[in-house]
Amino acid sequence: MSRKTTFRDRLTLQTTLLCLLVLTIAGTAVFLGARTALLANLDGALLGIARAELASALDGPGGKVHIHEDSKLVLHGAAGYEKYALIRDEHGDLAAHTANVLPRQLPKLDQQALQSTGGGLAVFGDIYLDGRALRAVYYPFKDLKGRPYIAICAVPYAPMEQSLRLLGATLLLALTTCGLGATWGARRLALRLTDPLEELAQRARHIGGETLHERIPQLSQDDELVSLTDGLNEMLSQLDVAFAERQTMIDAQRQFLMDASHELRTPVSNLRGLVEVSLRRPRTNESYQRTLSICLPEIKRLNVLVNDLLTLVRAEAGTVVLAKEPVDLVALIGQALQAHQANATEKQVHLCPTTPESLNLQGDPTRLRQVLDNLIDNALRFAPTESKVEVTLTEQDKMAVLTVRDQGPGISPEDLPHLFKRFWRADVSRNRATGGLGLGLAITHSLVEAHGGTITVESVVGKGACFSVTIPRHGFTTA
């Protein structure tokens, strides 16, 4: 199986190639610059030779044009150049030449350069001798009698090309050496840049479900790595919170099942016991009727519990179906108070409503009546004898505000945050003397929120409790 290319390898390769590209461009620029400089140096020397030739070309006997045989042309820092020179008259005939130019084997001239000398200015071009290209200057002049001539001085390219080959070899060697150095440097740079990333990855791999509280320390001062570390730590924080919420939800579901099982077990056990006792021997119809009359309250209690559980689960899941129709809250409060009047009379508690003549809102009358029943029932359960339960309805900023206040023992500050939790009761012994199952306020809270409202409670120990429900009068989002 082939080894996968790592980011470190790609970074090393790309950095090396970039360095080689830069070095190649620089070397090419140096080479071309040197060639241009050598050629300019050579052209300058040729122009000097041509002018020297012209200065001495007319000093022969009778003003005859001639050429001096000089030694090799030597440029500064370069090898010697063999000079070739010839002079042509206006008819193109050879008037004079150096010994190395044979009349029977004349060089091939640059016709374009020859034509360009018609302006009287020196022109650089080439000549070709024995298949070799030579650099030449075509220099027009006139003799003492005014006859036109063209002096052509040339030197071979070979020495310059030899110097360029030596320079090219030197540059290639330098490029190779620098390339190896660039590869080593790129690898070191890649290691330096990726070592923090590798350590970051290792530390991230060590953080799991049991160690989500741990955070990755800053391993570098580089802004990019600091931002990456901060991003990973923020993600870990979010995961930590999400896992904690998930665990809380799991614990809540487990507790809900335990509480529901506990609440269901009592009436089911009672029913089972009664039925088993009744079936042990034949009994009279009156005996069966007594047994059924005892079973009926347990069945009713079981039915209420199941319905409350179903309502609570649907409300918390956001799937409870609410009707949206006009509701007369004043009439609804009157109906609820009338239904609880017998219980209030039995406990010698006075129900004191304070309502306007009329106050309507858009909502589900059945669910709103359930909210009223739960709050009034809760108040009556804890209200002492000869006390009052005040039910008040007002309107504030297009919101219907319902308050239910009792004069009972009140609720301790430690218990207030848990008041709307399901199956929660202030007495840790779970005594059912008050008759509550710990679902009424949780259901009330969910139903009020389903109507787009809020419910709050204020209480002072020994001075009772006051529940306040605020619901928008005009419209809410149905589930």
Side-chain angles (χ1 to χ4, degrees), residues 34-217:
R35 184 180 185 281
T36 301
L38 286 174
L39 189 59
N41 191 18
L42 184 60
D43 287 347
L46 281 174
L47 187 59
I49 292 174
R51 288 172 178 169
E53 288 293 343
L54 293 181
S56 60
L58 302 176
D59 61 356
K64 183 179 180 181
V65 175
H66 65 284
I67 291 179
H68 291 277
E69 293 288 345
D70 293 331
S71 59
K72 289 184 177 181
L73 171 65
V74 179
L75 302 179
H76 179 69
Y81 285 79
E82 183 179 6
K83 181 186 73 175
Y84 294 82
L86 58 95
I87 297 176
R88 286 166 46 106
D89 61 16
E90 58 183 332
H91 303 294
D93 296 328
L94 189 62
H97 60 87
T98 55
N100 54 9
V101 178
L102 303 178
R104 64 176 181 275
Q105 194 176 358
L106 293 176
K108 181 179 178 181
L109 304 181
D110 189 338
Q111 297 300 319
Q112 184 177 359
L114 282 174
Q115 293 174 3
S116 299
T117 59
L121 299 175
V123 177
F124 291 99
D126 294 331
I127 65 172
Y128 302 91
L129 181 65
D130 297 333
R132 295 179 301 153
L134 289 79
R135 186 63 172 174
V137 59
Y138 294 76
Y139 205 117
F141 70 97
K142 293 181 180 181
D143 64 4
L144 298 177
K145 296 181 180 181
R147 289 174 296 190
Y149 290 88
I150 297 178
I152 304 172
C153 298
V155 293
Y157 279 108
M160 185 185 75
E161 292 173 348
Q162 181 180 357
S163 299
L164 290 175
R165 283 195 293 272
L166 179 61
L167 176 62
T170 303
L171 290 175
L172 183 59
L173 179 61
L175 179 63
T176 302
T177 304
C178 291
L180 293 175
T183 302
W184 180 84
R187 188 63 180 179
R188 295 293 301 175
L189 178 63
L191 288 173
R192 180 181 177 276
L193 292 177
T194 57
D195 278 347
L197 293 176
E198 187 171 348
E199 185 175 357
L200 192 68
Q202 291 177 354
R203 289 180 179 269
R205 280 194 293 268
H206 291 158
I207 297 177
E210 301 297 328
T211 57
L212 279 176
H213 61 279
E214 296 182 5
R215 296 295 176 265
I216 302 173

Side-chain angles (χ1 to χ4, degrees), residues 264-291:
L264 290 170
R265 182 175 57 190
T266 300
V268 170
S269 297
N270 292 341
L271 288 173
R272 179 180 176 181
L274 289 170
V275 172
E276 287 179 347
V277 169
S278 297
L279 294 177
R280 284 176 183 173
R281 59 182 177 82
R283 297 178 182 274
T284 63
N285 291 337
E286 291 78 8
S287 176
Y288 283 126
Q289 286 180 351
R290 285 195 299 273
T291 300

Side-chain angles (χ1 to χ4, degrees), residues 333 352-356 389-394 401-405 467 469:
I333 291 174
C352 303
T354 303
T355 61
V389 171
E390 300 175 357
V391 180
T392 305
L393 179 64
T394 60
V401 181
L402 169 70
T403 60
V404 178
R405 183 186 304 271
F467 290 83
V469 175

Side-chain angles (χ1 to χ4, degrees), residues 267-333:
V268 170
S269 297
N270 292 341
L271 288 173
R272 179 180 176 181
L274 289 170
V275 172
E276 287 179 347
V277 169
S278 297
L279 294 177
R280 284 176 183 173
R281 59 182 177 82
R283 297 178 182 274
T284 63
N285 291 337
E286 291 78 8
S287 176
Y288 283 126
Q289 286 180 351
R290 285 195 299 273
T291 300
L292 292 177
S293 65
I294 297 174
C295 290
L296 185 58
E298 295 296 329
I299 293 174
K300 289 181 178 180
R301 182 180 173 209
L302 188 61
N303 182 62
V304 170
L305 178 58
V306 171
N307 287 334
D308 285 349
L309 286 173
L310 183 59
T311 300
L312 183 60
V313 170
R314 286 177 176 175
E316 291 184 348
T319 59
V320 62
V321 179
L322 296 178
K324 191 174 183 181
E325 59 186 68
V327 179
D328 185 348
L329 280 182
V330 176
L332 199 65
I333 291 174

